Amino acid sequence: MTTLSNRYQAEAAKQRPTMRDVAALAGVGIKTVSRVVNEEPGVSEAKTVRVLRAVEQLNYQLDMAAGSLRRTGRRTLSIGLLLPSVANPFSGEIHRAIEDALAARGLAMFAASLDDDPEREKALVAAFLRRRVDGLILTPIAKSQAHVIPEHSQDLPVVFIDREPNGIDADAVVSDNATGGARAAAHLLSHGHTRLAYLGDRTDIQTARERRRGFLEELARSGIAVSDVPAIENLHDEEAAHRATHELLASRNPPTAIFSSQNLVTFGAMRALKEAGASHKVALVGFDDFALADMMEPGITVIAQHPERIGKLAAERILARIDGDQSQPSTWVVPSELIVRGSGELPPSD
Amino acid sequence: MTTLSNRYQAEAAKQRPTMRDVAALAGVGIKTVSRVVNEEPGVSEAKTVRVLRAVEQLNYQLDMAAGSLRRTGRRTLSIGLLLPSVANPFSGEIHRAIEDALAARGLAMFAASLDDDPEREKALVAAFLRRRVDGLILTPIAKSQAHVIPEHSQDLPVVFIDREPNGIDADAVVSDNATGGARAAAHLLSHGHTRLAYLGDRTDIQTARERRRGFLEELARSGIAVSDVPAIENLHDEEAAHRATHELLASRNPPTAIFSSQNLVTFGAMRALKEAGASHKVALVGFDDFALADMMEPGITVIAQHPERIGKLAAERILARIDGDQSQPSTWVVPSELIVRGSGELPPSD
DNA sequence: CAGGCCGTTGACAACGTTGTCTAACCGTTA
DNA sequence: TAACGGTTAGACAACGTTGTCAACGGCCTG
């Protein structure tokens, strides 16, 4: 029975060849095949050639999973990446920068989207853990990352990106969100604005809170009564931001300058300003750069982040940890940068 | 010696727990643990509870790699995705759509960027094969995919996206590139243009050739002398397209309408038109939609592709193949759509 | 009360690889 | 010639899991 079904399989699907097959064809032991395939030294020229020829002939492909099961350290040469969404251009650039750094080491990347959902964060981390990734790079959203990282994985390298983690002591690579917010405030103030407004993302997102804090603190330092500054939050999509901007413009005492703390919010604000014919009247500074910002009318002044630097740094950190770096975890901050394009330099309209 | 080093390891790094550990703690056999963890039937309520408690207590995580090594069919529950670049928004949307469809089945995705480099295509396909992915979804760039897919992987589900493969008979999901190109031509012709130009991507990219073909064939059908239509190709980035557009506008007999066959090319053309003060004079239709196209002045008319539908279809195909669908491979075509926004409806300027 | 059946359970081998260890072989040297 | 060292080679166990199968106990049936 067993014999029959095995034979059937062998004939029907001609099983994928294993090292044993290669060894048989080359007339050597399987360990010799292993040595050749893994480019280990200590195999004679003659046998190396024979093995390689057999590999070629059978089209043999090493099974890394089987190998890493036995290998000391159990390296799978794969790492897990958890992003807000792979469809998000900012995430995409980080992803690419990480890939470039890790591919050079032969590491493959699992990628997944969290949608800023704490439940997904937990489920996807678990899924990657079950696949025994050598490291984890993630954008946290759950309130705490402590119960997400099982204690037994404490030796698993983890690097957080874009947002700092809570309840776990690990490396993080982030933008200088508060400083960037302050930079936006200072820029608008320097152009004479005194009636400003803040439009921001969900308050459970750490970066949104930081940007708001930096913005408002800078205003306070300059003597603006912060209680009078409209701060409309929890705008998670373009439509919400669009509505909020229209309401702001229609209010009794409309702002002469707006700081939008995230791309989709900036888009919503731009659209509302355009519809209201106020693109050239109300100043706008957005957090995070985007394609075609310079092609708008006026060009959109932004606090640009550097996703490629965030990704590169995160990759360097995870590689260092994988290589055994035991130093104290810490947070790396990638500076943001003001890019002047017109919308942020409009003077107060009255 | 061995005992010593084992004990050392056990104490220093407290090895990740295995089923054996869980079984010992719960006082059951390891097969019972396996059954509980994999939610197989045939385990009494009492033992199930004891096993789950032990799993909890040890923070046990199943090792999927070890499991798939033994499991019949060797499913790894992972699939490989090869895109032009994960940083490319079009690719990102496809990626996301695929992820959404596959995550529901517990499949994880390896993602990698090809950069339209045939060598990378080969290397990355091999890397995914070594990891024994259950399926491969890729955007081909090499001249032939035949030697990329080893014969022994013929039972490996493969779906091509965005471009059709050569030298291998497999499922593909693509946009109607030629029809889209023709649609652009017809649209511009219907607005009275007779002096049109084509700006296109590298000619080794199949979609670029198809878009060009569809565009020119439609012009020919309408009696335009195709030999007089400037077709500037091999524009792979924005800067090249920008230069090409300027040259076009400065030529003796400049076109009154431009068809740009790819996003970066469209951006370059837009920028050149703006600099030349011709945004409202020379009509422009781009292939592929992009964020903020409606916010430009004028809005940019495009032939929109549907990356989310391409991704969804590709995911459905790979799942069907994984589930054993043996039907003849074929190509699914996702229709493109003309989106009218202003730039494509400008009349001939003289 | 014997026999049979069913629901549970766990011992065991096997998946494809790599680490360990011993064997065989070669050429040197005493 | 015997002993030795260095190189090459392969037999074997083990990694953590799942498929197979036999054994157990309880219950029903005749």
Side-chain angles (χ1 to χ4, degrees):
Chain A
M1 246 231 284
T2 307
T3 312
L4 188 68
S5 92
N6 278 353
R7 181 174 301 161
Y8 173 75
Q9 279 197 357
E11 285 177 7
K14 69 172 165 187
Q15 304 278 56
R16 181 184 282 281
T18 70
M19 276 195 181
R20 212 175 305 277
D21 301 318
V22 176
L25 179 60
V28 303
I30 79 169
K31 182 66 222 209
T32 300
V33 177
S34 172
R35 280 194 262 261
V36 171
V37 170
N38 290 289
E39 300 184 349
E40 285 172 33
V43 179
S44 68
E45 178 68 17
K47 294 220 167 177
T48 302
V49 171
R50 264 162 55 203
V51 168
L52 288 179
R53 222 192 311 269
V55 163
E56 182 89 5
Q57 191 174 331
L58 295 176
N59 216 318
Y60 169 75
Q61 292 273 1
L62 180 63
D63 185 327
M64 290 181 55
S68 67
L69 186 61
R70 188 66 177 81
R71 186 170 19 243
T72 32
R74 299 212 207 321
R75 292 283 165 78
T76 57
L77 296 184
S78 61
I79 77 120
L81 176 62
L82 293 170
L83 298 166
S85 172
V86 294
N88 169 331
F90 179 71
S91 295
E93 288 197 52
I94 291 179
H95 186 169
R96 184 58 205 266
I98 295 174
E99 181 191 347
D100 288 344
L102 297 187
R105 286 270 298 256
L107 293 167
M109 304 179 60
F110 282 110
S113 304
L114 293 178
D115 275 338
D116 286 329
D117 175 350
E119 291 308 314
R120 281 183 73 137
E121 174 180 319
K122 288 174 208 169
L124 289 167
V125 165
F128 286 168
L129 255 30
R130 280 195 295 272
R131 287 179 172 82
R132 297 292 185 268
V133 292
D134 293 342
L136 222 38
I137 300 182
L138 71 150
T139 305
I141 177 65
K143 286 229 171 54
S144 163
Q145 276 64 50
H147 54 99
V148 162
I149 310 295
E151 306 85 58
H152 285 276
S153 311
Q154 278 178 351
D155 56 338
L156 203 241
V158 178
V159 174
F160 291 91
I161 49 175
D162 193 38
R163 304 171 191 158
E164 290 182 77
N166 295 107
I168 179 176
D169 196 21
D171 290 325
V173 180
V174 300
S175 287
D176 61 344
N177 291 293
T179 307
R183 213 185 306 267
H187 187 67
L188 291 170
L189 289 169
S190 77
H191 285 272
H193 293 277
T194 52
R195 299 206 320 270
L196 305 96
Y198 169 88
L199 296 182
D201 202 341
R202 276 167 40 186
T203 52
D204 61 340
I205 296 176
Q206 188 219 10
T207 53
R209 295 194 304 270
E210 287 293 292
R211 292 169 194 174
R212 171 179 191 271
R213 183 172 66 80
F215 180 74
L216 294 181
E217 284 180 1
E218 180 68 22
L219 294 188
R221 266 193 293 279
S222 300
I224 303 276
V226 168
S227 57
D228 294 346
V229 176
I232 307 177
E233 305 196 67
N234 293 307
L235 306 171
H236 198 55
D237 58 39
E238 184 172 333
E239 183 45 33
H242 174 251
R243 257 198 320 271
T245 307
H246 268 306
E247 287 168 18
L248 210 49
L249 295 176
S251 65
R252 261 175 306 141
N253 192 22
T256 62
I258 293 175
F259 171 50
S260 58
S261 86
Q262 190 251 75
N263 260 345
L264 294 182
V265 178
T266 304
F267 294 173
M270 282 162 51
R271 200 171 304 274
L273 288 176
K274 188 175 182 190
E275 288 164 0
S279 297
H280 287 275
K281 292 185 192 134
V282 176
L284 175 67
V285 173
F287 201 107
D288 199 6
D289 200 8
F290 54 92
L292 301 177
D294 60 326
M295 289 288 288
M296 308 310 296
E297 201 49 65
I300 305 298
T301 293
V302 299
I303 305 295
Q305 303 186 77
H306 293 288
E308 72 294 342
R309 273 156 73 183
I310 293 177
K312 186 157 178 280
L313 251 173
E316 285 168 9
R317 288 318 307 154
I318 203 102
L319 286 176
R321 293 295 177 185
I322 286 174
D323 291 340
D325 179 352
Q326 295 287 333
S327 60
Q328 194 62 24
S330 63
T331 296
W332 276 256
V333 176
V334 176
S336 60
E337 186 189 349
L338 174 74
I339 301 184
V340 170
R341 294 204 178 101
S343 73
E345 295 70 48
L346 299 172
S349 50
D350 53 48
Chain B
M1 251 243 271
T2 307
T3 310
L4 189 69
S5 92
N6 278 352
R7 183 174 301 161
Y8 173 75
Q9 279 197 359
E11 285 176 9
K14 68 172 167 186
Q15 303 279 56
R16 180 184 281 282
T18 71
M19 277 195 180
R20 211 174 307 277
D21 300 318
V22 176
L25 179 59
V28 303
I30 78 170
K31 182 65 220 212
T32 299
V33 176
S34 172
R35 279 194 264 260
V36 172
V37 170
N38 290 290
E39 300 183 349
E40 285 172 34
V43 179
S44 67
E45 178 67 17
K47 294 219 167 178
T48 302
V49 171
R50 263 161 58 202
V51 168
L52 289 179
R53 225 195 306 269
V55 163
E56 183 89 5
Q57 192 174 331
L58 295 177
N59 215 318
Y60 170 74
Q61 292 273 0
L62 180 63
D63 184 328
M64 289 181 54
S68 67
L69 185 61
R70 187 66 176 82
R71 190 175 9 249
T72 32
R74 297 208 208 324
R75 293 282 165 79
T76 57
L77 296 183
S78 62
I79 77 118
L81 176 62
L82 293 169
L83 298 166
S85 171
V86 294
N88 169 332
F90 179 73
S91 295
E93 288 197 52
I94 292 179
H95 186 168
R96 184 58 205 266
I98 295 174
E99 181 191 348
D100 288 343
L102 297 187
R105 286 270 297 257
L107 293 167
M109 304 179 60
F110 282 111
S113 305
L114 293 178
D115 274 339
D116 286 330
D117 175 351
E119 291 308 313
R120 281 183 73 138
E121 174 180 317
K122 288 174 209 169
L124 288 167
V125 165
F128 286 168
L129 254 30
R130 279 196 296 272
R131 288 178 171 83
R132 297 291 186 269
V133 292
D134 293 342
L136 223 37
I137 301 182
L138 71 150
T139 306
I141 177 64
K143 286 229 170 56
S144 164
Q145 277 63 50
H147 53 100
V148 162
I149 310 295
E151 307 82 59
H152 285 276
S153 311
Q154 279 177 349
D155 55 339
L156 202 240
V158 179
V159 175
F160 292 90
I161 49 175
D162 193 38
R163 304 171 191 157
E164 290 182 76
N166 294 108
I168 178 175
D169 197 21
D171 291 324
V173 180
V174 301
S175 287
D176 62 343
N177 292 293
T179 307
R183 212 185 307 267
H187 187 66
L188 290 169
L189 289 169
S190 76
H191 285 272
H193 293 278
T194 53
R195 298 207 321 270
L196 306 95
Y198 169 88
L199 297 182
D201 201 342
R202 277 168 39 186
T203 52
D204 60 340
I205 296 177
Q206 188 218 11
T207 52
R209 295 195 304 271
E210 286 293 292
R211 292 168 195 175
R212 172 180 191 271
R213 183 172 66 79
F215 180 74
L216 294 181
E217 284 180 2
E218 180 67 24
L219 295 188
R221 266 193 293 279
S222 299
I224 303 276
V226 168
S227 57
D228 295 344
V229 175
I232 307 177
E233 305 197 66
N234 292 306
L235 307 171
H236 199 53
D237 58 39
E238 184 172 334
E239 182 44 32
H242 174 251
R243 258 198 319 269
T245 307
H246 268 306
E247 286 168 19
L248 210 49
L249 295 176
S251 66
R252 261 176 307 142
N253 193 22
T256 61
I258 294 174
F259 171 51
S260 58
S261 86
Q262 190 250 75
N263 260 344
L264 294 182
V265 178
T266 304
F267 294 173
M270 283 163 51
R271 200 172 303 274
L273 289 176
K274 188 176 184 190
E275 287 164 1
S279 297
H280 287 274
K281 292 185 191 133
V282 176
L284 175 67
V285 172
F287 201 107
D288 199 6
D289 200 8
F290 53 92
L292 301 179
D294 61 326
M295 289 288 288
M296 308 310 296
E297 201 49 66
I300 305 298
T301 294
V302 299
I303 307 295
Q305 302 187 78
H306 293 287
E308 72 295 342
R309 273 155 72 182
I310 293 177
K312 184 155 178 281
L313 250 172
E316 285 168 9
R317 289 317 307 155
I318 203 101
L319 286 177
R321 294 294 178 187
I322 286 175
D323 292 340
D325 179 351
Q326 295 288 333
S327 61
Q328 193 62 23
S330 62
T331 296
W332 276 256
V333 177
V334 176
S336 60
E337 186 188 348
L338 174 74
I339 300 184
V340 170
R341 295 204 179 99
S343 74
E345 296 69 48
L346 298 172
S349 51
D350 53 48

